[in-house]
Amino acid sequence: MTGTEDERPDNGLLAEVEQAIADGAIVPWYQPLVDLESGAVVGIETLARWILPDGTVRPSGTFIPLSEESDLIVRLDHAVISRALAEFAAWHPQHPGTALSLNLSGRHLDRPDCADWVERALAEAEVDPALVICEFTEHKPPNDLALCAATLDRLRDHGVRVWLDDFGSGWSGLQHLRELTIDGVKLDTTFTRAAASPLGEAVVRAAVDAARAFGFSVTLEGIETEAQARHAREMGCTYGQGYWWSPAVPVEELDSVLDAVSELPHLGQ
Ligand code: G
Ligand code: MN
């Protein structure tokens, strides 16, 4: 068990991911972000999908975690974001009320050029910063908290909204939250599932209440039923995402998804 393949089992896949980025085979798909109060689609989140030559779609879980082990994720994110901004620039005029959410690995926050890159990408695609949300995943604490805070401040000064993804499951302790200025947090699917039990619900409410106390918007992911959507709203969440409204779809299918969401029953009072 000491061969090279055992020591570096992911080398083959890493090389494939690099090639896929170069070939433009890792592309943005989009999942609607819904205002739980009005039921309106207020944004679309960009999610990476790897399209194989035979049309097979590989979900992000098969290549993002590996890419996040190195700065490969930065190149991957740049490729997906650049394409998403170009698609959004073309799609948005017909949907003026809709924002674009972009995923950036926490690794971007260790780089001094992060805000520069985002500002330049928005300018090149001619996308209004006020329409853009940058979601940073918090898989590990930033190396340099001052640099991280400066980057987030600069993005916000530029007009971009900044959210922390996977809130409550990464490094965001209360101390960090006091030092970092952000606009919103996202709670992942585990919170939605947990909310089904009384103890789990207490934990979800605590997380929502803490985020709201800081003035953040709260998005709950993984909502699959109307009952979960109502519950999310009742617990004080601002936005919801999940299969109840739609899975992520390619840009060509977005218009019909938005039509279908508008036909869903209103969550009511
Ligand atoms: O729907 P999906 O399984 O793709 O999304 C699960 C999670 O995978 C997202 O919440 C996000 O954290 C991550 N993810 C999806 N696409 C990207 C991407 O392009 N870049 C990064 N950094 N993370 C992504
Ligand atoms: Mn996200």
Side-chain angles (χ1 to χ4, degrees):
M1 299 292 281
T2 54
T4 318
E5 279 178 15
D6 293 321
E7 284 160 18
R8 290 186 282 176
D10 293 325
N11 261 1
L13 182 57
L14 265 183
E16 274 185 63
V17 174
E18 291 207 25
Q19 191 59 47
I21 295 170
D23 294 345
I26 298 184
V27 301
W29 280 25
Y30 303 94
Q31 186 179 40
L33 171 77
V34 177
D35 183 323
L36 292 170
E37 205 61 48
S38 68
V41 174
V42 291
I44 49 174
E45 180 181 5
T46 305
L47 294 160
R49 296 290 182 267
W50 181 352
I51 315 295
L52 299 179
D54 68 357
T56 308
V57 179
R58 302 191 72 177
S60 63
T62 62
F63 58 92
I64 295 280
L66 174 70
S67 306
E68 283 212 297
E69 288 174 16
S70 73
D71 271 357
L72 182 61
I73 191 66
V74 174
R75 275 196 280 147
L76 188 156
D77 284 344
H78 285 173
V80 171
I81 290 170
S82 299
R83 184 155 170 171
L85 286 169
E87 291 184 347
F88 183 74
W91 178 83
H92 185 262
Q94 285 79 55
H95 305 275
T98 314
L100 178 69
S101 242
L102 303 169
N103 279 297
L104 291 102
S105 158
R107 277 184 179 272
H108 294 265
L109 293 171
D110 290 331
R111 301 166 62 95
D113 65 345
C114 173
D116 273 342
W117 188 87
V118 172
E119 287 178 19
R120 206 170 47 241
L122 297 190
E124 273 168 18
E126 298 183 26
V127 169
D128 179 356
L131 295 171
V132 172
I133 300 165
C134 287
E135 299 184 10
F136 288 95
T137 39
E138 39 159 5
H139 68 296
K140 68 170 190 55
N143 289 336
D144 179 347
L145 197 59
L147 172 65
C148 172
T151 299
L152 300 185
D153 285 348
R154 235 191 86 184
L155 286 170
R156 295 184 76 244
D157 287 346
H158 194 61
V160 170
R161 271 167 286 170
V162 171
W163 288 4
L164 284 191
D165 224 343
D166 300 335
F167 177 69
S169 46
W171 52 266
S172 66
L174 285 180
Q175 185 208 351
H176 285 136
L177 288 182
R178 285 215 318 271
E179 289 171 36
L180 301 176
T181 40
I182 59 166
D183 302 283
V185 298
K186 298 186 83 169
L187 301 176
D188 75 11
T189 305
T190 53
F191 285 82
T192 306
R193 297 212 188 99
S197 79
L199 194 58
E201 176 177 347
V203 174
V204 178
R205 283 186 187 274
V208 172
D209 291 349
R212 299 287 299 246
F214 280 103
F216 306 153
S217 70
V218 181
T219 302
L220 190 61
E221 295 179 332
I223 293 177
E224 295 183 350
T225 65
E226 184 177 356
Q228 288 174 332
R230 286 180 187 282
H231 195 193
R233 181 173 183 264
E234 190 264 318
M235 289 187 293
C237 298
T238 327
Y239 307 116
Q241 251 179 282
Y243 291 175
W244 167 244
W245 296 283
S246 171
V249 296
V251 70
E252 308 80 58
E253 291 173 32
L254 256 183
D255 285 345
S256 56
V257 163
L258 263 55
D259 286 346
V261 170
S262 69
E263 301 289 311
L264 285 171
H266 193 269
L267 298 178
Q269 294 306 308

